[in-house]
Amino acid sequence: MKKRNFTVLSALLLSASCIFSGISVQAQETEEPQQAETTSDAAALPDYSLEENWAYCETGDTEKEADVFFICPTVYGGTEDSYNMAMDDKDSRESFLGATNMEKGIYDENSRFFAPYYRQAGLNAYELSDEEREPYLASAYEDISAAFDYYMEEYNEGRPIILAGFSQGADLSIRLLKEKFDDADLNDQLIACYAIGWRVTEDEMNEYPHLKFASGEDDTGVIVAFNSEAEDVTSSLIIPEGTKTLCINPLNWKTDETPADKTLNAGACFTDYSGEITEEIPELTGAYIDPVRGALKVTDVTPEEYPASLSIFEDGVYHLYDYQFFYRNLQENVNVRTEAYLSENAVEDAA
């Protein structure tokens, strides 16, 4: 089979040289990262009282009973002396909005949608070691923390919350859970955290006992996470060799090795920058969980058909397609967990 056209799909996470709406962004490597010269270090914390600092801030639709707080994946490539996106970077903001739109349709059917712009770490930061990368992710998280605090103070009003993110956004959503949701009242508001495209380890769960990983289709207050890869992959940036991540299979909602046939795949959907579905393929792929790595092993497709298209991943790492391969199943599951949460709390209120 011929390779697919990835101009749209590449918007989920930039490679060292990617195209965004016809704009080329080059992530340049340096021998010695200049951590003191990041855009983030020089910039002030964004003011989230300003509408311009939100990609989405849906304060209307008050009839919707829940809210989604969404954290965008990496769209900033970085430069030789910048490892964090500047808030006034017009091109990156356009890509940021487009990448958010590509996943918004999974979450917003029954919920208001909130997505802050933030000084995200650039793709070039992922060429660094974990230790070197951390200051740039810490700067990104500083913004997310401030945006979430503002959302809670001004907009939430006790409403149920879905946290959601992909890749860097998943990493930051887990950080948000760790820091904020040890508060029992806030934790009670959590429908689920869809932290897709980043690892979640058993050690983290033990260190933060208020975290709970999903065990089925409709449990609430849980983390939903998986990382897609071909069957012969043994290591990746997301799951280095020797690491095991927690995982739930989005086709059968099991956490064991039970394989899910492609007939359970309600529809892989490939979306554009407006969020429109440009192609939908029911029953595209099956999946099972690798008991050693905790990765979601994807069957029925090949790396030749769905290449990594990113310099930081080997072909066979289907990171770019985590949402796309399982779009309809995720969309349905968001509704299932939301309804389960509302039903549970209606019973508790009645009691």
Side-chain angles (χ1 to χ4, degrees):
M1 291 187 178
K2 64 181 181 180
K3 293 183 179 180
R4 306 177 65 83
N5 183 335
F6 296 103
T7 301
V8 172
L9 293 179
S10 295
L12 292 177
L13 184 64
L14 278 172
S15 64
S17 179
C18 272
I19 303 298
F20 283 105
S21 301
I23 301 168
S24 179
V25 182
Q26 183 70 33
Q28 302 178 26
E29 298 181 17
T30 60
E31 293 184 2
E32 296 294 335
Q34 302 176 23
Q35 293 188 7
E37 297 182 11
T38 66
T39 301
S40 173
D41 292 334
L45 188 72
D47 181 355
Y48 287 105
S49 69
L50 300 178
E51 184 178 351
E52 67 196 46
N53 288 332
W54 293 86
Y56 282 95
C57 188
E58 295 181 347
T59 56
D61 289 331
T62 53
E63 292 183 2
K64 291 185 175 181
E65 296 185 82
D67 289 347
V68 175
F69 188 89
F70 180 84
I71 307 174
C72 182
T74 310
V75 298
Y76 176 61
T79 66
E80 189 172 289
D81 60 355
S82 175
Y83 288 80
N84 287 87
M85 185 186 97
M87 290 292 285
D88 60 357
D89 181 340
K90 181 179 178 181
D91 292 343
S92 292
R93 285 170 71 94
E94 289 178 359
S95 298
F96 193 114
L97 180 60
T100 299
N101 285 340
M102 292 176 76
E103 296 160 14
K104 184 174 184 285
I106 290 172
Y107 295 106
D108 68 349
E109 182 177 353
N110 296 309
S111 298
R112 303 188 305 177
F113 197 83
F114 295 83
Y117 288 109
Y118 68 100
R119 296 170 294 172
Q120 62 177 229
L123 186 78
N124 57 345
Y126 288 91
E127 302 281 358
L128 307 175
S129 68
D130 289 351
E131 183 179 358
E132 291 173 323
R133 184 189 314 139
E134 183 55 32
Y136 311 115
L137 288 171
S139 292
Y141 178 70
E142 183 182 20
D143 291 4
I144 292 300
S145 177
F148 185 77
D149 286 347
Y150 188 83
Y151 155 77
M152 289 299 301
E153 291 167 5
E154 300 295 329
Y155 304 132
N156 176 261
E157 298 182 343
R159 296 161 62 86
I161 302 167
I162 296 169
L163 292 183
F166 171 58
S167 195
Q168 181 174 171
D171 181 359
L172 298 180
S173 70
I174 295 166
R175 294 178 188 227
L176 201 61
L177 276 184
K178 291 175 179 177
E179 181 192 10
K180 309 285 187 184
F181 284 75
D182 60 345
D183 176 272
D185 290 338
L186 181 56
N187 208 27
D188 285 345
Q189 291 179 242
L190 182 66
I191 295 175
C193 173
Y194 288 83
I196 294 167
W198 198 252
R199 59 184 172 269
V200 184
T201 67
E202 194 67 52
D203 285 345
E204 289 177 287
M205 307 298 284
N206 292 333
E207 184 177 356
Y208 298 91
H210 64 280
L211 302 186
K212 182 170 64 170
F213 199 81
S215 61
E217 181 181 21
D218 62 357
D219 47 351
T220 61
V222 297
I223 299 171
V224 176
F226 58 85
N227 293 276
S228 307
E229 62 184 32
E231 293 180 274
D232 61 353
V233 172
T234 59
S235 185
S236 72
L237 172 69
I238 306 298
I239 314 173
E241 190 168 9
T243 300
K244 183 177 181 180
T245 183
L246 299 176
C247 179
I248 191 164
N249 189 328
L251 296 183
N252 60 17
W253 300 107
K254 296 180 182 294
T255 57
D256 60 19
E257 303 163 47
T258 304
D261 187 76
K262 67 179 183 178
T263 55
L264 296 176
N265 194 322
C269 294
F270 302 93
T271 50
D272 63 19
Y273 259 15
S274 70
E276 293 296 316
I277 295 171
T278 59
E279 184 177 16
E280 181 167 356
I281 310 174
E283 302 183 4
L284 175 65
T285 175
Y288 66 91
I289 297 172
D290 181 345
V292 176
R293 292 172 49 70
L296 185 70
K297 294 296 188 178
V298 177
T299 61
D300 307 295
V301 294
T302 68
E304 289 73 31
E305 296 171 278
Y306 297 91
S309 299
L310 300 170
S311 62
I312 56 176
F313 293 118
E314 300 287 338
D315 280 349
V317 178
Y318 295 131
H319 180 74
L320 191 63
Y321 314 101
D322 280 335
Y323 271 108
Q324 310 296 299
F325 280 167
F326 308 105
Y327 189 102
R328 291 297 188 196
N329 293 76
L330 286 167
Q331 187 179 56
E332 178 184 5
N333 187 251
V334 170
N335 291 334
V336 167
R337 291 189 198 275
T338 300
E339 288 303 316
Y341 178 93
L342 295 174
S343 296
E344 291 166 5
N345 283 274
V347 170
E348 290 177 4
D349 290 344

